[in-house]
Amino acid sequence: MTENAWTRWPSKEALGRAGTTRPRRLLAWAVRVLVIALLLWGAYHQKHVGVWTGVAALAGVVAAGFLAWAFFRTTYKHRLLPSLLLLATLMGIAVAAEATGFTALALVLWCGCGITALERLPLAAATPVTSAGLAAYSAFNNDVWLTTAASVAGMALAGYVLRLDAEARGNAQRLLDQERAARVAEAESAALAERARIAREIHDVLAHSLSAQLVHLEAARLLIERGADRERILERVVAARGMARDGLAETRQALSALRGELTPLEDFLGELVSGAEGAAVTVTGEPRPLPAEASQAVRRVAQEALTNVRKHAQGAKVDLRLDYSDHQVTLNVRDSGGRPGDLTSSGGGYGLLGMRERAELLGGSLDAGPDEEGFAVTLKVPV
């Protein structure tokens, strides 16, 4: 059967206590204590009550309390048949109470069954139960018919209002749970993204540094094999040591960048080409601070481009041009072409593929290829 407003149960969030404030819980317990007190008062406020009758009345009140607790549990689990059987038992206790002269006890039980059924059961099941309970109340109540009719209408309305209130509270609790789950998922995603960023930064630093060292060590090996003089070999070894020292400095800088402690991009590029003969930096546009990811992308691409020049175009002049525009920053690294040398196939490391992946992760692009004189690398990153 298709679930609709008549066959749908109130949600478990609405039937449970999650999201209920402390004052509201205290009020609910106060109402329960008051009802039990009324039941006991109605049971013992009878002149004909004897010892055994009083014991029976007390047992009935205790049984009614236990059955009401069980009814709350079965409705929370959305078990319709046990819930209806418990309500039928409670109404049976009310009938027995009326038959033995405990009218007040019977009336309270009938009213309680009618209201709670309307609050906690599907409407298709709650309507006949509520009708039966309030009809029994009307039949045995001694008030005038107008007062009895107003009481019945008020109790029916109270049961439905309690149902709507519980549903509203349940919806709010579900939304709160969803928001909490979304926040947890967002935090986990942010943590994974941060881990990936850290891994990428460390990888890029090591790839650039080790690749540069490999160039010089491979050159030293070739010089040794060819029997070159000691000064040329030592020059390559010293250069490799310098690259190792620079790698450590870059690693520290990457860690500083992860903490948000970046040096200005223009200063970094100036330091990068300071030890390279024939390299110059030109900055156009209005310099401004960039997001950490964009700034790191420019730095890594500049480093890798210069490494490629040293490997594939020895002696070439290099022009680094950094352009700031309204919505993006552009880095252009262009060399004039030079002697390929013997180490063209050495290294590997980060390379053009890594540079392009870094740019695409930021929504930018990277173009690399021969131009009129030498080789050009162009990075565009939106900011």
Side-chain angles (χ1 to χ4, degrees):
M1 181 172 59
T2 303
E3 187 180 62
N4 52 40
W6 285 92
T7 59
R8 183 177 64 246
W9 281 87
S11 64
K12 289 189 175 182
E13 291 82 3
L15 297 177
R17 295 185 298 177
T20 305
T21 61
R22 181 177 177 84
R24 189 186 185 99
R25 290 196 297 269
L26 293 176
L27 179 61
W29 276 107
V31 171
R32 294 186 184 112
V33 171
L34 179 61
V35 169
I36 293 174
L38 289 175
L39 291 176
L40 292 174
W41 181 85
Y44 288 101
H45 191 67
Q46 307 287 339
K47 295 182 180 180
H48 63 278
V49 174
V51 175
W52 293 109
T53 306
V55 172
L58 180 60
V61 171
V62 173
F66 175 77
L67 292 173
W69 173 83
F71 172 75
F72 274 68
R73 298 298 299 172
T74 55
T75 52
Y76 179 77
K77 295 179 180 179
H78 292 176
R79 299 173 62 187
L80 182 59
L81 184 58
S83 300
L84 293 176
L85 290 176
L86 289 169
L87 284 179
T89 306
L90 284 169
M91 288 189 175
I93 293 176
V95 171
E98 175 63 30
T100 53
F102 296 104
T103 303
L105 175 61
L107 294 179
V108 171
L109 286 175
W110 279 321
C111 293
C113 289
I115 293 174
T116 55
L118 198 59
E119 178 188 3
R120 301 182 68 86
L121 289 177
L123 288 177
T127 301
V129 174
T130 301
S131 300
L134 296 183
Y137 169 83
S138 302
F140 293 97
N141 189 28
N142 294 327
D143 293 334
V144 296
W145 70 270
L146 186 59
T147 302
T148 301
S151 299
V152 168
M155 286 185 286
L157 180 61
Y160 191 68
V161 169
L162 288 173
R163 180 189 188 91
L164 295 179
D165 178 71
E167 281 289 5
R169 179 168 51 83
N171 291 335
Q173 184 63 32
R174 282 198 301 274
L175 289 176
L176 180 61
D177 292 340
Q178 291 173 3
E179 182 180 358
R180 288 172 178 170
R183 288 181 179 178
V184 170
E186 183 179 357
E188 292 177 351
S189 177
L192 291 175
E194 183 65 13
R195 291 173 187 171
R197 186 167 80 96
I198 292 173
R200 189 167 59 251
E201 293 299 332
I202 300 302
H203 168 268
D204 292 350
V205 169
L206 292 178
H208 166 75
S209 175
L210 294 178
S211 177
Q213 292 176 55
L214 182 61
V215 169
H216 291 287
L217 292 175
E218 183 68 11
R221 183 186 67 83
L222 292 176
L223 290 174
I224 293 173
E225 289 180 352
R226 295 171 183 175
D229 56 44
R230 181 176 179 276
E231 286 74 15
R232 292 183 62 188
I233 298 173
L234 183 60
E235 178 184 355
R236 289 295 184 177
V237 174
V238 171
R241 186 186 65 177
M243 288 296 174
R245 184 172 56 248
D246 293 342
L248 289 175
E250 290 173 11
T251 302
R252 295 190 187 98
Q253 186 179 42
L255 295 176
S256 298
L258 293 172
R259 294 192 296 264
E261 303 171 358
L262 284 172
T263 58
L265 185 55
E266 301 78 25
D267 296 344
F268 173 83
L269 294 179
E271 294 175 0
L272 188 64
V273 302
S274 61
E277 184 177 355
V281 177
T282 304
V283 180
T284 60
E286 184 66 27
R288 61 184 184 276
L290 302 179
E293 282 286 308
S295 179
Q296 285 296 90
V298 175
R299 295 164 195 258
R300 294 291 170 260
V301 170
Q303 287 177 326
E304 185 63 29
L306 288 180
T307 299
N308 286 339
V309 171
R310 287 194 294 265
K311 289 170 57 177
H312 305 290
Q314 296 178 10
K317 294 183 179 180
V318 185
D319 177 35
L320 278 79
R321 185 175 298 273
L322 181 65
D323 175 61
Y324 290 94
S325 60
D326 292 336
H327 303 293
Q328 72 177 15
V329 61
T330 303
L331 173 70
N332 184 270
V333 182
R334 189 182 304 272
D335 65 70
S336 61
R339 183 172 58 85
D342 299 324
L343 304 177
T344 302
S345 60
S346 67
Y350 181 44
L352 295 177
L353 177 61
M355 290 192 287
R356 184 170 290 108
E357 289 176 351
R358 176 180 281 274
E360 291 174 352
L361 284 173
L362 298 175
S365 63
L366 184 138
D367 296 320
D371 66 348
E372 295 178 358
E373 295 182 352
F375 198 84
V377 176
T378 302
L379 170 70
K380 296 181 180 180
V381 180
V383 293

